[in-house]
Amino acid sequence: MPRLAAAALAGTAIEFYDFFAYGTAAALVLGPLFFPTFSPLAGMLAAFGTFGVGFLARPLGSVLFGHVGDRYGRRPVLIVSLLLTGASTVAVGCVPSYAAIGVAAPVLLLVLRFLQGLGLGGEWGGAVLLTAEHAPPGRRALWASFPQVGPAVGFVLANGVMLGLSAGLSEAQFASWGWRVPFWAAGVLAVAGLWLRSSLAESPRFLEIDDHARMPLVEVFVHHRRLVLLTAGALAAGYAVFYAVTTWSLAYATERLGVSRTVMLTCVMAAVVVKGALTPLAAHLGDRFGRRPMCLAGCAGMALWMFPTVALLATGEPLLMFLGFLGALLAFITTYAVIGAYLPELYEPRVRCTGAAVGYNLGGVLGGALTPIVATTLAEGSGRVPWGVGAYLTAVALFSLGCFALLPETRPVEAVRPVAADE
């Protein structure tokens, strides 16, 4: 289990590194470089629009790779998704700016971002299922939380590189070539991830299935349609809060408040480090007290903390911003630490890779794709404190709380219990 968990964590860290490097670049430099004919606000919205395309691609990736995972095994998903995401991320770093090739530049950016999202849409389901299906029932949430630590590691890696470059280069150097370095580094990380995953064994639960689903997506939407929609709605708040903290806040504080990039990246990274470190602890509590109670508590925490978050952000004070971000991410991880066990337990094994991944990534569309755009628009018409953003995030958290309230508990079980089609 430690070797499996380490390989799953490393893979998700690398793929989310790729995804987050783009989000940080979108917040800091992509608008002027790829949409120079737009106003500063329109350029920022356009850059966040290309960021959102990755989320729109993720459900398609979950369908494609979910089919492979349910028909042919979880292990192939981990290899192919990592190759796709790594190659498209390196290519992003090679795209010339608008000044060099005109409108082809943002078009290429859009296509590569779509491919990034496609690969990441398959990654989460494969990594979580391979870990969860090897784990003993009494510690399934704990072991399945290690892929959930991967996004925190990936974020710190991506933003650590960005922070170093931002601090060590001039504005002109960073805009010219410095922002590209994290994307080129993705190639080295992808090779390391493939080496780690090459020796993983296939999931024993998959090998026990006698009758593999011929059309997993059809079975999911015929028999588990309500479950998919509920899980997507339930996960929307976590995506919204995470990307409000890690992406939108960077743009808002640097553009509107005049906070330096270095200070903002440091504040956000510090909060993400604490969140990642506490993920296994929250997962352990999920094994002890149940998945659903942790999810409900996390959504309630997010709803209660959104107005304080935007108020602390508006101060522009590093310590206060860090505390705001930390409170939001601790509420977020209270929910998301147990999702790696909870979602697979909701589905029968023959369609588990597709069902869990589609629900997870549809939540990303609802919460992650739109949040930077909506938040930027709401903040533009506000005073120094973007109360509209706080109201939006609170509403999403309450919506997710209602969805979790309609889902069943899945712990404790000796064997994974599928949810009936009419539940």
Side-chain angles (χ1 to χ4, degrees), residues 188-256:
V188 178
L189 294 175
V191 171
L194 289 171
W195 176 77
L196 280 171
R197 289 183 164 181
S198 61
S199 61
L200 292 180
E202 183 54 81
S203 158
R205 197 71 185 91
F206 174 80
L207 297 175
E208 292 170 3
I209 300 172
D210 296 322
D211 183 23
H212 296 288
R214 293 179 58 83
M215 297 293 290
L217 181 65
V218 174
E219 288 196 28
V220 165
F221 278 95
V222 169
H223 300 297
H224 303 286
R225 181 171 55 251
R226 179 173 179 269
L227 184 57
V228 169
L229 295 176
L230 281 177
T231 52
L235 296 174
Y239 277 104
V241 169
F242 188 84
Y243 286 101
V245 169
T246 60
T247 299
W248 167 76
S249 70
L250 291 177
Y252 178 79
T254 54
E255 295 292 327
R256 289 284 298 275

Side-chain angles (χ1 to χ4, degrees), residues 27 42 62 91 104 111 133 135 138 154 157 164 167 195 231 254 271 291 306 308 344-345 358 379:
S62 66
V111 170
E133 291 182 339
L157 284 174
W195 176 77
T231 52
T254 54
R291 292 42 162 144
M306 290 304 97
E345 289 170 351
V358 168

